[in-house]
Structure formats: structure tokens, C-alpha cells
Amino acid sequence: MNTPPLPSGAEHTDGSPIRLGALVPLTRPGWVEAGRHLLAGLDLAVREVNDAGGIDGRPLELVVRDTAADPERAAAAVDELADLGVAAVAGEYHSVVARAAAARADALGVPFLCSSAVLDALTEEPTEWVARVAPAQSHGWRIYADFLLSVGRRRIAVATQSSVYWTSGTRVLRDHLAPRGGTVLELDASLTPEALCDALVDHGATALLLLVGHPEPAVPIVRAVRGDRRLAEILIGAPAGQPEFAEWGAALGEDGAGIPFLRYLPERLGPLGERVGKELRERLGEAPSFVAFEGWDTVAVLAAVLRSHGTDRAAVAASWPRVAVEGTRGPIRFSRAPGIGVWQWAWAPVHVVDRDPAEPDRLRVLHAG
């Protein structure tokens, strides 16, 4: 028998589950591998909370909805989850999708803790209903720009697709590099890989950043650049983190190594991170990405909030500035970061890493934020 939904998120006293909504890309064109890792982290943390007795004796129940990287689908899912009486909504990987979910959660008065999306403008206006554990794009991508400068790369080309996320990233790079003698050339990713290689040569680019989807068109671009002798010295980069996942290596093999990307993990995990990482590896059958840790940390925050402030939605949202939780990647607290309209963990650890060309399964830390 189903428990009647409580749209207000009001308190139960009968031991019934506390529902948490989870937004995750699980089908194409969403980044399915990222979604799988995010869900693994969310689900593991929920199971651990329940194994420890739940929230005042009430179990957490994760109500999962597949966004498939579709903003409209995500907004509709927030409506559905609100009607089901969830205390809060969590998750999402794609920035444009998370922005749609955040807008709907704000409109409905449903707390939304965003796990992985980094777009600075997660909401158009400041809101009390939304918080985020992932670092903002402007923070991480400035660190990436500093890395480029540190290795002598100042003539930067970006292969980019039409998206507010890629446009925002390009602007961050240009604004940070220009005062330091760097230039950013935009190349349309719809060019054939061969034409793109010609453009890189013509402009004397010393780095090419892939601001594009995976596997298309990222994989053919990498193959073309790696196979062009004229571009033997160019650095290929992927600040959005495409090489983090195993399918990158499966698609590109050795060609996928030596491509620096942003990773939101410390160089060495502490005891909690090590324990959670071991559990995640067993669940996933592979090394967990930073996205899986983001999922676990998201539920850890919500569980702490629910224990201390109850399940009333307004009380959950009002608790963001009082959060103090030990996460897998360090202590989590939320604040109002300049230029960002949501409650923000400032900041999760940020490193620039790549896959070691001599051992592609091993990640090397190249630069610390």
C-alpha cells in the first residue's frame, strides 16, 4: 500500500520513509556513465543512513528520475517529485538541466541540493531553496587557465558547441587569460576534424580545449589531432572532465591519455573518503569518479539537515547556512559566494589531472587549485 503523498513535506511520526528525489541522466543523450556514478554515490549514502537506523527511525527512500539531459524533462520531474511529497531533490550532472530543475524547485518551494552541475548562474536570481556541493565553473576553470599558463600555453583554441555551459566556460577562460597575455580562438565543433586541424595550424594554437560532447564529436577530434604530424606539440585539454570516465579510455586507448581535465577530488583521500571509495569501487566495478563522491556527499548533507531540522521543506532550505558536515572530500559548509545565487560549498578540492601516457589507467595530478 502506497503512503499518501504530503506535498508540504510535513512531518510523519509513523516510521514511514522520508522521500528524497534524485535527478540523474541515465539514458542518452545524457552522459550515462556520469549518471551511473552519481546514482551509485547517492544510493550508497542512502543505504548507509538506513543501515545506521535512518532519520530518527525513519528510512530514507530515494525516488529516482532519469533526466536524459533534457531540461524540460527535469523540470517536469521536479513537479512530480514535489507531488510525491519529497523532503528535497538532489542530484543532476548536466548544468543546463540542473538550471531548469533549480528554477522549478525555487518556484515550487522545494529544496534542491545540486550534486555535480557547475554553471555559475544555476538560478537567474538569488534563492534560498537551492544549494550546491560542486565548485562553480568560474572557480574551476580559472584554475584550469592558470594550469595552461604554467605550462606555457597562451594561444588557446576551443572546439565548441552551442550551449550556455560551453559559452560560459569560454568566457571564463578568455577573461582570465587575456590580462595574462593569453588568447582564446573559438572554432565551431561542426567543422570536419580535418578542417579543424587546418585551422589549428593556421592560427598557431598551442592548446586545443574540447568544449564538446562525448563521444561525439570529442573522439573523432582527438583522433584527428593525434594523427596530424603538424600538431605533434599541441596540448589537448578537456576541462569539463570527459577523460575521467572509463569509456573515454575504451574509445580512445593511448590517444586518450595526456589530456588534462578538472577533477574535484583531493590528491589523497582521508579515512572517510577511502572507505566510501572502496565501497563505490565494489558497486561500480571500476574506480569511482569524483561524480560518485559528489553523490555520496549530497546525501550526507541532506541526512544531517533532516536529523537536525526535520522534513519540513522550508526548514530544510533555511538550514543551508548552518550545515557543517564531514564529506568524503573535506568539511562541507555553505556560504554566499560572490556572483552566485545559490548556497555554495566554497570549495570542493580542485585539481588538474590527466591519464598517464605510460600507464593510462593511472591519473597524474598536474596542478592544484
Side-chain angles (χ1 to χ4, degrees), residues 184-326:
V184 176
L185 168 71
E186 292 185 58
L187 299 175
D188 192 331
S190 65
L191 290 170
T192 67
E194 294 75 18
L196 192 142
C197 287
D198 289 341
L200 294 173
V201 173
D202 291 343
H203 290 280
T206 57
L208 168 66
L209 306 187
L210 303 170
L211 309 192
V212 296
H214 172 75
E216 298 289 336
V219 168
I221 290 174
V222 172
R223 285 179 178 151
V225 174
R226 292 293 201 214
D228 193 321
R229 293 182 180 180
R230 301 173 298 170
L231 299 170
E233 300 302 318
I234 200 168
L235 180 146
I236 306 175
Q242 296 94 324
E244 168 79 8
F245 298 97
E247 68 179 37
W248 176 268
L252 283 164
E254 293 181 357
D255 284 346
I259 297 179
F261 61 95
L262 285 167
R263 192 172 198 238
Y264 307 131
L265 283 176
E267 188 166 0
R268 290 181 179 80
L269 292 165
L272 175 60
E274 289 283 359
R275 180 187 69 74
V276 171
K278 181 179 178 182
E279 294 285 342
L280 288 169
R281 179 184 286 272
E282 291 179 1
R283 281 172 166 257
L284 291 163
E286 61 188 18
S289 69
F290 66 83
V291 179
F293 289 94
E294 288 174 329
W296 195 96
D297 286 345
T298 298
V299 171
V301 168
L302 289 173
V305 166
L306 292 167
R307 287 191 188 100
S308 58
H309 294 83
T311 61
D312 177 75
R313 289 173 180 166
V316 170
S319 72
W320 301 135
R322 294 187 286 277
V323 165
V325 174
E326 186 63 31

Side-chain angles (χ1 to χ4, degrees), residues 12 47 63 109 123 148 156 166 175 205 223 261 266 308 311:
H12 283 280
R47 289 177 182 270
V63 185
T123 55
L148 293 172
I156 313 303
W166 300 126
D175 290 350
R223 285 179 178 151
F261 61 95
S308 58
T311 61

Side-chain angles (χ1 to χ4, degrees), residues 20-24 35-49 60 62 64 89-92 113 115 280 283 291-300 302:
L20 294 179
L23 303 177
V24 188
R36 186 170 69 90
H37 280 236
L38 177 56
L39 183 56
L42 293 166
D43 186 62
L44 174 62
V46 165
R47 289 177 182 270
E48 290 185 353
V49 168
L60 290 179
L62 203 61
V64 181
V89 175
E92 194 45 47
L113 181 53
S115 301
L280 288 169
R283 281 172 166 257
V291 179
F293 289 94
E294 288 174 329
W296 195 96
D297 286 345
T298 298
V299 171
L302 289 173

